[in-house]
Amino acid sequence: EWEERSKTRSEELVALADTIKVLNDDDALDLFKKTLPGAGASLMQVSVSAVAMRSRAVGALQGAQRAALQQDKASLDLLMLTLAGKKSLSQGGFDKVLKMIDQMVDLLKKEQLDDDHKKEYCAAQFDEADDKKKELQRIVSQEENEIATAKDAIANLADEIAALEAGIKALDKSVAEATEQRKNENAEYKELM
């Protein structure tokens, strides 16, 4: 949703800037002159009243309002109110509308900059979190290797202890046998003597 909103906002800004550029360009004047018929052709002059222009603008704004997001509807309502108000009929209302459009464009630019800064901040935070995750994974891997090494050492020591215990038992047995043999030899010696 956020990406779609940012994309729409960027497209609106580009479209407004392009429209203003095209209408203010000297090439547009040349193009308008070329499209008008020559002096020999006659034109029927049609007068368009300010009221008709306002009603067309209000119609266009109502169409945009139906398609707009909830937060953008307030700005469109304000534009419609400016066009429909009594003062706008007697005083050049489009000057106010143009001023409001410029303010909206400035606001959109500011919001876009804020969004860009927030995106950069979030990207930096994601990178930092990813680095921490990799460091922790490396530490866990090292600890697991050390645990495996310690288990192997414990198993080797247990085998050595078992071997030593078996050696001690064998030694105790041989000592007991030797002691028994000496006692027997000592008893035989005492009998002989």
Side-chain angles (χ1 to χ4, degrees):
E1 179 183 340
W2 177 254
E3 290 176 3
E4 182 179 326
R5 185 175 154 212
S6 295
K7 181 181 175 185
T8 304
R9 182 179 298 143
S10 297
E11 289 173 356
E12 287 173 355
L13 286 172
V14 168
L16 283 172
D18 288 345
T19 302
I20 291 170
K21 182 179 176 184
V22 167
L23 291 176
N24 288 335
D25 196 2
D26 288 336
D27 293 337
L29 179 62
D30 293 340
L31 181 64
F32 291 140
K33 286 179 181 178
K34 287 179 186 177
T35 57
L36 290 176
S42 67
L43 292 175
M44 183 168 75
Q45 186 172 356
V46 178
S47 66
V48 178
S49 67
V51 174
M53 286 184 9
R54 278 187 191 82
S55 65
R56 285 180 49 203
V58 167
L61 283 173
Q62 286 173 341
Q65 193 173 28
R66 279 185 233 114
L69 299 173
Q70 184 63 31
Q71 67 234 18
D72 297 331
K73 287 187 178 184
S75 298
L76 291 172
D77 285 340
L78 190 58
L79 285 173
M80 287 179 56
L81 182 63
T82 302
L83 285 174
K86 289 184 179 181
K87 286 186 178 180
S88 69
L89 295 176
S90 60
Q91 304 170 354
F94 283 105
D95 294 336
K96 289 182 182 179
V97 172
L98 291 175
K99 183 178 178 185
M100 292 175 72
I101 289 173
D102 289 340
Q103 290 172 348
M104 284 177 59
V105 168
D106 291 341
L107 177 66
L108 288 173
K109 285 180 182 178
K110 181 180 178 255
E111 287 178 357
Q112 186 64 45
L113 282 175
D114 291 343
D115 292 345
D116 291 343
H117 292 306
K118 184 69 170 182
K119 182 179 178 182
E120 290 172 9
Y121 172 77
C122 290
Q125 291 299 315
F126 279 132
D127 288 343
E128 185 177 327
D130 191 41
D131 291 345
K132 285 181 182 178
K133 178 183 171 187
K134 288 178 182 177
E135 178 65 22
L136 290 174
Q137 286 175 338
R138 186 184 59 78
I139 290 172
V140 166
S141 175
Q142 287 176 346
E143 295 296 327
E144 287 174 347
N145 288 339
E146 289 178 11
I147 289 171
T149 303
K151 284 183 179 179
D152 289 343
I154 289 171
N156 288 339
L157 288 175
D159 291 343
E160 289 177 11
I161 288 172
L164 288 174
E165 286 177 348
I168 290 173
K169 285 182 183 178
L171 184 62
D172 284 344
K173 184 178 177 185
S174 70
V175 167
E177 288 174 0
T179 303
E180 187 63 36
Q181 184 182 2
R182 280 193 206 113
K183 283 183 184 178
N184 289 340
E185 288 176 0
N186 189 16
E188 285 178 17
Y189 176 73
K190 284 185 182 178
E191 281 181 19
L192 287 175
M193 292 242 201

